[in-house]
């Protein structure tokens, strides 16, 4: 059946929250706190300035800014104009950013005070790009565009059309050439609803702490939950374990999204300051890749309510979540798909049964419809509505997902599939190991062999030979790393995800 | 913009709940308790029997049954087949039911043991109607069709297509000829989500008590919330204040949907048994028409968490809800629209401003797209996506809805609009008055004049003359009832809604 439906329009989410609960705190930073009414007013005023730059419905607008109020207000101002947000990863090189701006055909570049210099460099290379400088004026607590008048007649949208594109987010680049993932309002809505149905929704008391980069979907999607749920969020510019632990203890944070390395640092800081988390913290959403088992066990023993999730840009952040009720029983699993999401495991074009590994495929209204102007990549990735994530995993007999690895990190050695995450998990289970990364190394005989990179805990004296002996007792021979290199730091992207293909550079 | 989107498919909601939480209690009655796994299995088995009757995708299937497991399982079995449910109001006369079955072109009639006789009468008049008798076999705790084999090859649907029609529900008949309101899965989904975003969602502990008729949207929509939220429901065949109060006290009921007359009886029973409601009861959803102010004040003084709502069949039950936080500040208001719903007040084709009364109009994905094979009625009621409810109300300066009356009950006296609910509220504020109903009476001079019918509290000695004097101090002269008639009972429909046009029959 190929029926079609008319588009679904909703009232602007921020406006509706401002109408419903004008005096409720919407957003806090260490410096400023805004009610929903104030927040909404900021978005409207900034939209009137953006309109003066020529930004209108369908305009593609790049944003180069750190986590903070200018970024947040800009997101909502663009929604009011129906313009498309293209958040730039601030860690990219100038050349990478220039490539991306041209690839996406951005008509404007907005930046904040932290990236003013880079914005100037960009504009020298792309002089036709309209430019705007976002600033937060501390005295008036206003976010505005420097030296740009307001257009009071700017046509602002009262409604959100779910089918419309909200953002184009370039995949983090752990694999191949960056592609622009189309993020619609529909995806954001269904992701938020699916998450609330799973985690519960406590309209009066929930407060979500945001310390993930806003230029990644894990951060941006929290901005949408902020206004769809009508709950308070706390935004931090950077990850700082001490400040975050303090906010959890003192400010009623109920939910926080983190990756494993962040959570490790938070727990270490907690120990150092001899503190515990209060019961108000009801959910620590742990995403960004397979989590080390010792970390999960540590959390379980402390009653830290860790909820493992699996998601990617293409699924608008979390798609699979382990319910708190299952956290202990299914330690290490990413859980079950959120209600709007369907999941199956495919191998060689066939759906495989329980316990059989294969590519994780997802379908549902929170999954992207494709990549911007990449019909070939879209067709290769999405078939009959099913997105092939490229990640490898299996379902257990109860339908719980276990993520094995990123497909593109797969090591094939003498015809055997080797999943780096499995070897990493083995190494991480050693008490002296703080971080571990595994990749393939070309080998004349086997094609590839695994090699490992390990950061030890401070003060550890263990040798790589001892670690190898430890691993040899726990891993099949073909999975045993050819070498274990002790290093100070592993390469990670800005959201903390391990960049395995950059590991060889450490040699 | 007239973009279209592809249809959105979700996994079957009951199946997904059974997958997620197979061992969780899904549904309780005084006799039986089923887990989600058991419940799902019942629906699948009954679907296999229904298929044997020739019921398939798109079949229109009438259901004549009391509130209970046969009704509930049948609803989900029809979903599995993609058939369209047409629930029959059990209080209709034989002739009314025959008219409706022909109007909707039902291909089958299913009934339970309570309505077997009526079903036989119907089939004598409509012999082409396929017939099936639902039974709950107490010994095996199985719902099945009497003497019908299973078709194990019946094509059962794994997905729910949101655009598809789930049910056709005839409007309750308080006004004019019944019309079949199209209820899609999309409406049910958005209603459930809008409600959860407003009331909160506590996946682990929520339990919804269902004592509204399942053949009305107020009951049916709770069956969908049961499986969308994955929460337990308790189903009662009839409203019984004592049993309901007992369930609230002893079974962890967190939400209950009622109309005013039910709540009054529950509170009276509570007083008689000298009990209080526990804190687990977090929401008493009060719908079905304007609530008497003394009832709301009584609830406020007892800390009964009343949440007033406004909705109708066309909006798939609640569309406007007063948040618990506003319950006292906005006593008497129905609140603000749920997030997916937009609301405006129209008078003479123009949107009117705050405090101006007019027809309540609603728009959004939980609002019906129209009436079954009634293009004229659909066109007259829905314009540009806005449904004119026919009810009269106004918004205050903060956008809170106050429902004045049903448009069709409006009394026009000497050119002045008189809202029966206003006069009823005045009478109900008198301590001796238990129920009040007001309607118009033809009058040679004024066109119409209001008359009132009152049920007094047990033991009251007040006279109608004294009541009239009381009302005369509080109402404008033209609103004062020409007469107040003391009666034993007011005419109400099966969901407890006052039938004003039947009041004159009491004379």
């Amino acid at each position: 059946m190929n029926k079609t439906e008319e588009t679904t329009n909703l009232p602007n989410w921020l406006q509706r929250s401002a109408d419903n609960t004008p005096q409720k705190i919407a957003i806090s930073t260490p410096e400023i706190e805004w009610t929903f009414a104030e927040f909404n007013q900021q978005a409207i005023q900034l939209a009137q300035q953006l309109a003066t730059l020529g930004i209108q419905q369908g305009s593609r607008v790049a944003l180069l800014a750190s986590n903070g109020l200018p970024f947040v207000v800009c997101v909502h101002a663009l929604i009011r104009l129906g313009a498309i947000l293209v958040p730039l990863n601030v860690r990219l090189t100038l050349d990478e950013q220039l490539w991306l701006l041209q690839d996406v055909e951005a008509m404007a570049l907005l930046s904040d005070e932290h990236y003013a210099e880079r914005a100037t460099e960009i504009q020298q290379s792309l002089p036709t790009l309209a430019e705007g400088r976002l600033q937060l004026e501390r005295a008036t607590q206003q976010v505005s565009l420097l030296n740009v008048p307001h257009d009071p007649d700017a046509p602002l949208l009262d409604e959100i059309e779910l089918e419309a594109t909200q953002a184009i987010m370039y995949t983090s680049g752990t694999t191949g050439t960056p592609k622009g993932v189309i993020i619609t309002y529909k995806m954001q809505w269904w992701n938020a609803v699916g998450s609330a149905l799973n985690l519960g929704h406590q309209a009066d008391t929930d407060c979500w702490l945001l310390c993930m980069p806003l230029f990644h979907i894990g951060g941006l999607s929290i901005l949408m939950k902020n206004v769809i749920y009508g709950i308070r969020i706390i935004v931090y510019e950077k990850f700082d374990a001490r400040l975050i632990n303090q906010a959890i203890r003192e400010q009623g944070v109920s939910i926080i999204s983190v990756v494993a390395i962040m959570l490790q640092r938070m727990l270490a800081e907690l120990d150092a300051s001899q503190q515990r988390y209060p019961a108000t913290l009801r959910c620590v959403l742990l995403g960004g890749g397979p989590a080390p088992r010792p970390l999960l066990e540590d959390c379980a023993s402390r009653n830290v309510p860790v909820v493992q999730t699996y998601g990617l840009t293409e699924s608008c952040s979390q798609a699979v979540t382990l319910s708190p009720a299952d956290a202990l029983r299914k330690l290490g699993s990413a859980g079950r798909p959120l209600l709007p999401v369907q999941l199956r495991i495919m191998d060689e074009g066939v759906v495989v049964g329980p316990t059989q590994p294969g590519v994780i495929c997802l379908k549902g209204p929170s999954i992207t419809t494709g990549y911007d102007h990449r019909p070939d990549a879209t067709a290769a990735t999405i078939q009959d509505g099913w997105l092939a994530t490229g990640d490898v995993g299996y379902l257990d007999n109860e339908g719980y997902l276990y993520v094995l690895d990123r497909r593109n990190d797969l090591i094939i050695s003498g015809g055997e599939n080797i999943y780096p995450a499995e070897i990493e998990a083995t190494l991480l289970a050693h008490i002296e190991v703080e971080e571990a990364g595994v990749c393939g190394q070309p080998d004349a005989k086997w094609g590839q062999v695994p090699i490992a990179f390990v950061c030890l805990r401070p003060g550890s004296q263990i040798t790589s030979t001892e670690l190898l002996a430890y691993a040899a007792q726990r891993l099949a021979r073909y999975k045993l790393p050819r070498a274990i290199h002790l290093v100070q730091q592993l390469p990670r992207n800005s959201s903390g995800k391990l960049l395995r293909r950059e590991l060889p550079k450490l040699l």
Side-chain angles (χ1 to χ4, degrees), chain A residues 127-400:
Chain A
T128 60
L129 210 58
E131 208 196 332
R133 177 77 37 81
L134 296 161
Q135 60 171 10
L136 172 63
E137 212 183 312
R138 262 73 183 180
T140 59
Q141 303 206 339
Q142 291 280 318
V143 168
S144 61
L145 274 180
L146 200 64
N147 301 328
V148 175
H150 291 77
D151 174 1
D153 301 323
L156 303 190
L157 304 179
D158 290 329
E159 294 188 346
I160 285 175
E161 186 189 319
L162 288 187
E163 297 308 299
T165 300
Q166 187 218 344
I168 297 175
M169 305 199 82
Y170 278 72
T171 45
S172 57
T174 46
T175 62
T177 314
K179 297 178 296 245
V181 179
I182 293 173
I183 305 285
T184 61
Y185 292 99
K186 180 176 178 176
M187 292 166 63
Q188 295 276 18
W189 174 267
W190 284 84
N191 174 260
V193 166
S195 177
L197 288 176
N198 180 257
L199 299 178
H201 165 58
Q202 298 177 5
D204 295 337
T205 54
D206 269 339
C207 172
W208 204 308
L209 192 146
L210 198 170
C211 58
M212 309 278 275
L214 283 168
F215 55 79
H216 282 327
I217 194 69
L220 187 69
S221 63
I222 299 172
L223 293 191
M224 298 300 107
K225 294 182 172 93
N226 174 212
V227 293
I228 291 172
Y229 301 161
I231 62 167
R232 177 179 171 219
I233 59 171
I234 301 179
V235 178
Y236 279 95
E237 193 184 323
K238 293 199 169 117
F239 175 83
D240 179 320
R242 193 182 59 80
L243 287 180
I244 285 167
N245 281 341
Q246 192 180 341
I248 292 173
R249 290 200 313 272
E250 296 171 10
Q251 295 197 55
V253 171
S254 61
I255 309 181
I256 179 172
S257 304
V258 291
V259 297
I261 188 83
M262 291 177 178
L263 184 54
Q264 280 167 342
R265 289 177 190 165
M266 286 162 59
L267 294 178
E269 200 281 332
L270 203 67
D271 285 340
S273 59
Q274 296 191 301
Q275 300 275 357
R276 309 180 65 179
Y277 289 134
T280 40
L281 181 68
R282 69 181 184 86
C283 175
V284 176
L285 267 180
L286 178 59
R293 198 176 175 94
L295 175 63
L296 297 173
E297 287 168 347
D298 185 16
C299 288
S301 72
R302 295 167 186 254
N303 281 325
V304 174
V306 168
V307 176
Q308 276 208 86
T309 75
Y310 164 73
L312 54 169
T313 307
E314 286 87 339
S315 66
C316 204
S317 85
Q318 50 171 151
V320 179
T321 301
L322 192 68
S323 287
D326 290 328
L328 280 174
R329 194 170 67 90
K330 296 285 183 181
L331 207 67
S333 167
R336 300 183 40 80
L338 297 182
L339 201 157
V341 177
Q342 297 182 64
L343 186 157
R344 64 189 192 189
I345 305 291
M346 301 277 290
D347 190 32
E348 310 280 340
V350 178
V351 179
V352 299
T355 75
Q356 300 298 306
V359 175
I360 301 165
C361 297
L362 302 172
K363 177 183 165 184
S366 58
I367 309 300
T368 190
T369 51
Y371 301 100
D372 186 43
H373 70 79
R374 294 278 199 283
D376 50 341
T378 301
T381 311
I382 304 174
Q383 278 155 20
D384 296 329
W386 286 93
L387 170 91
T389 63
D391 296 336
V392 177
Y394 67 90
L395 297 173
D396 72 7
N397 286 312
E398 294 183 275
Y400 285 71

Side-chain angles (χ1 to χ4, degrees), chain A residues 432-455:
Chain A
E432 306 275 336
V433 172
E434 185 149 291
E435 298 180 46
V438 169
C439 64
Q441 187 177 54
D443 183 88
K445 183 169 181 188
W446 302 105
Q448 281 186 299
V449 290
I451 56 171
F453 298 83
V454 161
C455 304

Side-chain angles (χ1 to χ4, degrees), chain A residues 26-224:
Chain A
I27 186 163
S28 311
T29 69
E31 297 163 315
I32 286 178
E33 216 164 54
W34 283 337
T35 64
F36 276 106
E38 289 165 339
F39 186 12
N40 187 43
Q41 204 47 45
Q42 297 267 354
I44 289 171
Q45 284 175 7
L46 184 61
Q48 290 173 341
Q49 286 188 299
L50 292 174
T52 305
L53 287 188
I55 295 172
Q56 55 184 328
Q57 195 153 22
S59 298
R60 292 167 168 221
V61 179
L63 176 58
L64 182 64
S66 57
N67 272 24
L69 295 176
F71 196 121
V72 173
V73 175
C74 186
V75 166
H76 288 286
L78 292 173
I79 292 174
R80 281 286 189 174
L81 293 167
I84 297 170
L85 168 73
V86 184
L88 293 186
N89 185 327
V90 300
R91 305 206 183 179
L92 296 183
T93 64
L94 174 62
D95 281 351
E96 287 170 322
Q97 289 172 342
L98 288 172
W99 178 88
L100 196 153
L101 287 162
Q102 291 170 290
D103 187 65
V104 81
E105 297 179 355
M107 61 78 72
L109 171 67
L110 307 175
S111 59
D112 70 1
E113 56 182 354
H114 299 94
Y115 298 98
E117 201 175 316
R118 172 58 62 87
T120 305
E121 291 177 291
I122 289 173
Q123 228 215 353
Q124 280 164 0
S125 295
L126 297 173
T128 60
L129 210 58
E131 208 196 332
R133 177 77 37 81
L134 296 161
Q135 60 171 10
L136 172 63
E137 212 183 312
R138 262 73 183 180
T140 59
Q141 303 206 339
Q142 291 280 318
V143 168
S144 61
L145 274 180
L146 200 64
N147 301 328
V148 175
H150 291 77
D151 174 1
D153 301 323
L156 303 190
L157 304 179
D158 290 329
E159 294 188 346
I160 285 175
E161 186 189 319
L162 288 187
E163 297 308 299
T165 300
Q166 187 218 344
I168 297 175
M169 305 199 82
Y170 278 72
T171 45
S172 57
T174 46
T175 62
T177 314
K179 297 178 296 245
V181 179
I182 293 173
I183 305 285
T184 61
Y185 292 99
K186 180 176 178 176
M187 292 166 63
Q188 295 276 18
W189 174 267
W190 284 84
N191 174 260
V193 166
S195 177
L197 288 176
N198 180 257
L199 299 178
H201 165 58
Q202 298 177 5
D204 295 337
T205 54
D206 269 339
C207 172
W208 204 308
L209 192 146
L210 198 170
C211 58
M212 309 278 275
L214 283 168
F215 55 79
H216 282 327
I217 194 69
L220 187 69
S221 63
I222 299 172
L223 293 191
M224 298 300 107

Side-chain angles (χ1 to χ4, degrees), chain A residues 427 432-435 452-457 460-468 483-490 506-507:
Chain A
L427 293 169
E432 306 275 336
V433 172
E434 185 149 291
E435 298 180 46
F453 298 83
V454 161
C455 304
L456 296 177
R457 288 193 189 275
S460 169
Q461 298 297 323
I462 197 168
T463 66
S464 60
T465 312
E466 288 167 323
L467 271 181
L468 263 178
I484 296 181
H485 303 281
L486 303 181
V487 295
Q488 292 305 310
Q489 198 179 7
L490 296 183
L506 296 178
L507 286 175

